[in-house]
């Protein structure tokens, strides 16, 4: 059965708690959760009643017509079944099919007489594995050499967040635990900000889904039934007013009014999370108070992707269905921003952490653009795939190693060093349409992919000889915390409110 994986993310080694906590609910807590779940189901049912009533009459008419058409066919099938002759029964001896053959006088007791029965596995000398408890306990522990791989999984009846353990040295990969999600997951973003006053680091994941609400879950807790906290309000839906949009609205922002398509956590200002939504807005959240701080409304269609700069706190890039990418200086986005126009809808954007002034953007028509944030013209334009480029990932440590995934079912590995892209390897992953790609932060050649089937797959591309030939001897760079001296204030250093069209 097909179980799509629309989003995936990695957790660095040494972050997760060695022994995760297990939830133990009291009766009162369980009653409260059941009551809240019933209330949510009742509200969802009330919202869908009007739509279902409009469809019922049409559905009854169609069903009646189908029954009328199928009734003559059923009569013909019954007549054909009666034509089974006695000769055919005799040929296969079907009239004696249910009769049991005489097996002799052997009794069950005589058959089992030579078998030994032991009171427990401990007494049976033929059972060498007396108990699986030890192995289950070992799998439950998370080692300092383990990475966590997170993915949103969509099954027939429910959606879940799966937490996998990946150990590169031991070549192990398994599901540690999962969390039932309230809606279809669309994006994942790991973060370590803890809203508690002691400001200790945590191990959390923010989940964007088909609702306007962002849920933040604690990855160090197993069997949890509710998120640590949520951003936004599902009930808060306001009609858009006609007129000119403001670039930034502060103090009056309540949250999104449609699905959350992407998330980006600010690693320098750890309490800030940015979200992209189908309501055409980007919202900056202050997680310390759990409220929206600002809304950026430069896009005119769904905002599909966004990412904070890896070193500059105030710099953010976003991409939209309106075929544009916008670079913001979040300190004053109305005065300092730059817009690029493309040939198709923007699917993914990502900063080049080895060249802090550069970023990459992929589009629905299969192109990948590399742009300098200070310039109008792209550094290169690459026709990477035949369909939309859904995954756009640079290696975490090897300069110039780019991996793309696409709806055309292929993953491709590129060398873009010197802004001269060349294809190194291409593979059909046999996963159907590919939805996402993510690079391991600790191993530069290990990538995770999600698609419409086969679940989550982890691939070490260094096993490909062509990849080793090109990247094997290339210097591996460990990124420092602040590397923005060469490219400070990207948005404000360029001309204010500029707009550029890309040519394919």
């Amino acid at each position: 059965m097909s179980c799509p994986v629309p989003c995936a993310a990695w957790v660095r080694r040494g972050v997760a708690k060695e022994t995760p906590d297990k939830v133990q609910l009291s009766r009162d807590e369980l009653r409260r959760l059941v009551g809240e779940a019933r209330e949510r189901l009742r509200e969802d049912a009330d919202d869908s009643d009007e739509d279902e009533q409009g469809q019922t009459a049409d559905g009854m008419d169609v069903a009646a017509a189908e029954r009328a058409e199928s009734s003559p066919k059923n009569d013909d099938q019954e007549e054909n079944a009666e034509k089974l002759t006695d000769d055919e029964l005799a040929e296969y001896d079907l009239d004696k099919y249910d009769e049991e053959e005489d097996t002799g006088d052997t009794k069950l007791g005589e058959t089992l007489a030579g078998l030994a029965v032991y009171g427990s596995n401990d007494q049976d000398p033929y059972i060498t594995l007396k108990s699986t408890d030890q192995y289950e306990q070992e799998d439950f522990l998370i080692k300092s050499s383990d990475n966590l791989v997170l993915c949103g999984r969509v099954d027939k009846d429910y959606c879940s967040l799966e937490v996998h353990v990946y150990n590169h040295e031991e070549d192990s990969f398994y599901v540690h635990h999962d969390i039932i999600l309230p809606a279809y997951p669309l994006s994942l973003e790991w973060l370590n900000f803890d809203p508690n006053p002691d400001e200790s680091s945590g191990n959390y994941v923010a989940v964007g889904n088909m609702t306007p609400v962002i849920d933040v879950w604690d990855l160090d807790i197993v069997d949890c039934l509710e998120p640590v906290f949520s951003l936004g309000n599902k009930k808060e839906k306001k009609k858009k007013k006609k007129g000119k949009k403001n670039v930034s609205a502060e103090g009056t922002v309540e949250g999104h009014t449609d699905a959350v398509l992407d998330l980006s956590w600010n690693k320098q200002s750890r309490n800030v999370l940015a979200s992209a939504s189908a309501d055409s807005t980007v919202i900056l959240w202050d997680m310390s108070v759990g409220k929206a701080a600002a809304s950026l409304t430069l896009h005119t269609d769904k905002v599909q992707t966004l990412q904070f700069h890896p070193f500059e706190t105030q710099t953010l890039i976003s991409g939209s269905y309106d075929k544009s990418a916008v670079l913001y200086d979040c300190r004053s986005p109305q005065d300092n921003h730059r817009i690029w126009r493309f040939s198709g809808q923007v699917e993914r954007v990502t900063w080049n952490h080895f060249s802090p002034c550069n970023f990459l953007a992929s589009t629905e028509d299969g192109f990948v653009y590399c742009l300098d944030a200070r310039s109008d013209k792209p550094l290169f334009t690459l026709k990477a795939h035949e369909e939309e480029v859904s995954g756009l990932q640079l290696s975490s440590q090897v300069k110039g190693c780019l991996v793309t995934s696409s709806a055309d079912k292929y993953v491709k590995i590129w060398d873009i060093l010197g802004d001269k892209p060349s294809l190194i390897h291409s593979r059909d992953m046999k996963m159907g349409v590919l939805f996402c790609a993510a690079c391991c932060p600790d191993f530069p050649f290990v990538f995770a992919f999600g698609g419409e089937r086969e679940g989550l797959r982890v691939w070490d591309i260094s096993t490909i000889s062509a990849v080793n030939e090109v990247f094997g001897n290339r210097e591996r760079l460990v990124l420092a915390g602040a590397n923005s001296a060469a490219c400070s204030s990207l948005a404000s250093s360029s001309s204010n409110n500029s707009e550029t069209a890309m040519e394919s």
Side-chain angles (χ1 to χ4, degrees), residues 128-254:
T128 57
L129 182 60
K130 305 299 182 182
S131 173
T132 60
D133 293 344
Q134 176 184 352
Y135 296 93
E136 292 176 357
Q137 182 64 24
E138 290 178 357
D139 287 343
F140 187 74
L141 297 177
I142 298 177
K143 304 174 185 177
S144 59
S145 58
D146 288 338
N147 285 102
L148 298 185
V149 196
L150 317 175
C151 74
R153 181 184 174 94
V154 181
D155 288 275
K156 182 179 180 180
D157 300 322
Y158 68 97
C159 300
S160 63
L161 171 68
E162 285 189 342
V163 181
H164 298 250
V165 171
Y166 173 78
N167 191 293
H168 188 71
E169 289 82 5
E170 299 175 2
D171 194 26
S172 62
F173 181 59
Y174 61 91
V175 178
H176 186 273
H177 65 278
D178 62 358
I179 299 170
I180 303 301
L181 297 176
Y184 193 108
L186 297 173
S187 57
L188 302 176
E189 180 75 352
W190 179 84
L191 51 94
N192 69 9
F193 175 75
D194 192 328
N196 292 328
D198 58 4
E199 296 184 357
S200 60
S201 295
N203 182 24
Y204 302 103
V205 61
V207 181
N209 55 51
M210 292 294 288
T211 75
V213 180
I214 303 166
D215 292 325
V216 180
W217 299 85
D218 192 337
L219 297 174
D220 288 334
I221 298 179
V222 177
D223 299 331
C224 56
L225 299 178
E226 58 182 353
V228 179
F229 62 93
S230 298
L231 302 172
N233 190 343
K234 186 177 180 180
K235 299 179 183 178
E236 191 71 28
K237 290 187 177 181
K238 296 182 179 180
K239 295 182 179 180
K240 297 180 179 178
K241 295 181 180 180
K242 294 183 179 181
K244 190 176 180 180
K245 291 184 176 181
N246 294 323
V247 175
S248 176
E250 299 183 6
T252 60
V253 184
E254 297 294 336

Side-chain angles (χ1 to χ4, degrees), residues 105-118:
D105 298 332
T106 305
K107 297 180 180 180
L108 180 61
E110 296 175 0
T111 305
L112 300 178
L115 296 179
V117 179
Y118 296 93

Side-chain angles (χ1 to χ4, degrees), residues 87-99:
D87 294 337
E88 291 172 334
L89 290 171
E91 179 181 356
Y92 298 104
D93 201 19
L94 295 178
D95 55 343
K96 299 181 180 180
Y97 181 78
D98 293 329
E99 296 182 6

Side-chain angles (χ1 to χ4, degrees), residues 24 29 43 66 85 88 101 124 161 178 181 240 259-260 271 277 287 320 323 353 365 373 396 421 452 484 487 504:
Q24 294 182 347
E29 290 174 329
E43 291 174 357
E66 290 178 349
T85 63
E88 291 172 334
E101 297 181 2
D124 193 337
L161 171 68
D178 62 358
L181 297 176
K240 297 180 179 178
V260 178
N271 63 308
S277 174
M287 293 185 289
S320 170
K323 302 182 181 181
H353 40 268
D365 50 359
S396 56
E452 64 178 341
S484 59
C487 192
S504 302

